[in-house]
Amino acid sequence: MRVRLTVNGRERLVDDVWEGESLLFVLRERCGLPGSKNACEQGECGSCTVYLDGVPVCACLVAAGQAEGRSVRTVEGLADGERLDPVQEAFNECGAVQCGFCTPGFIVAAHDLLARADGVPTDGEIREALAGNLCRCTGYEQILDAVRLAARRGAVRS
């Protein structure tokens, strides 16, 4: 099967996609975008979160064929060339990046929260927005600090 989709603003044509192949596999293995991580393959950990037509989804749960004609934005697509997105910068500054496995999903989820937020979100709103993401290294406080910092800076550039 052939899948045509737009990834990070660039039209991509992916050939020889098998019916059971996930969007995550297409992004990582066929498009060369390793940012989204493959951890649980069940949509439980959030490490593979990407935007699909502007809505955050677990790419491991989306069949590649479901992305036909649609727009995908990965954690790599948040950066502007070599310039990191402010959410990415805040994660670096706050030490919210440890092993890095969960980081892409947290960054996309935080980016989405801040894009939708009216002002600086409360800690409860941040925790709820990030509830679908799991981390085994940081204890979450640095992640919360990063989202707070990005929010205070008015971080999201859509």
Side-chain angles (χ1 to χ4, degrees), residues 75-122:
V75 68
E76 293 96 339
L78 298 180
D80 183 12
E82 294 297 314
R83 185 171 159 236
L84 293 179
D85 181 87
V87 176
Q88 293 168 316
E89 289 173 351
F91 267 69
N92 282 336
E93 288 178 39
C94 292
V97 177
Q98 292 204 5
C99 82
F101 213 78
C102 67
T103 305
F106 271 109
I107 287 174
V108 172
H111 184 274
D112 179 63
L113 167 66
L114 298 178
R116 292 181 293 104
D118 185 22
V120 176
T122 66

Side-chain angles (χ1 to χ4, degrees), residues 5 31 39 43 56 64 70 94-95 99 102 106 138 142 149 155:
L5 65 160
C31 294
R70 299 175 78 181
C94 292
C99 82
C102 67
F106 271 109
T138 68
Q142 295 97 326
L149 176 61

Side-chain angles (χ1 to χ4, degrees), residues 4-142:
R4 182 183 313 268
L5 65 160
T6 302
V7 180
N8 298 332
R10 182 174 159 220
E11 189 167 318
R12 304 292 291 254
L13 187 62
V14 184
D15 288 319
D16 299 323
V17 174
W18 58 279
E19 291 178 16
E21 200 165 303
S22 70
L23 175 59
L24 178 61
F25 186 87
V26 167
L27 294 171
R28 289 181 56 80
E29 305 301 328
R30 297 179 180 273
C31 294
L33 296 167
S36 304
K37 302 299 186 230
N38 185 8
C40 73
E41 294 184 349
Q42 297 176 15
E44 296 292 326
C45 71
S47 65
C48 66
T49 304
V50 299
Y51 284 110
L52 181 61
D53 290 338
V55 177
V57 299
C58 290
C60 71
L61 296 180
V62 177
Q66 291 177 292
E68 172 67 34
R70 299 175 78 181
S71 177
V72 176
R73 189 173 184 196
T74 67
V75 68
E76 293 96 339
L78 298 180
D80 183 12
E82 294 297 314
R83 185 171 159 236
L84 293 179
D85 181 87
V87 176
Q88 293 168 316
E89 289 173 351
F91 267 69
N92 282 336
E93 288 178 39
C94 292
V97 177
Q98 292 204 5
C99 82
F101 213 78
C102 67
T103 305
F106 271 109
I107 287 174
V108 172
H111 184 274
D112 179 63
L113 167 66
L114 298 178
R116 292 181 293 104
D118 185 22
V120 176
T122 66
D123 280 0
E125 291 169 329
I126 295 170
R127 289 176 187 278
E128 185 174 334
L130 301 181
N133 297 78
L134 301 176
C135 175
R136 295 182 178 162
C137 298
T138 68
Y140 295 95
E141 197 55 43
Q142 295 97 326

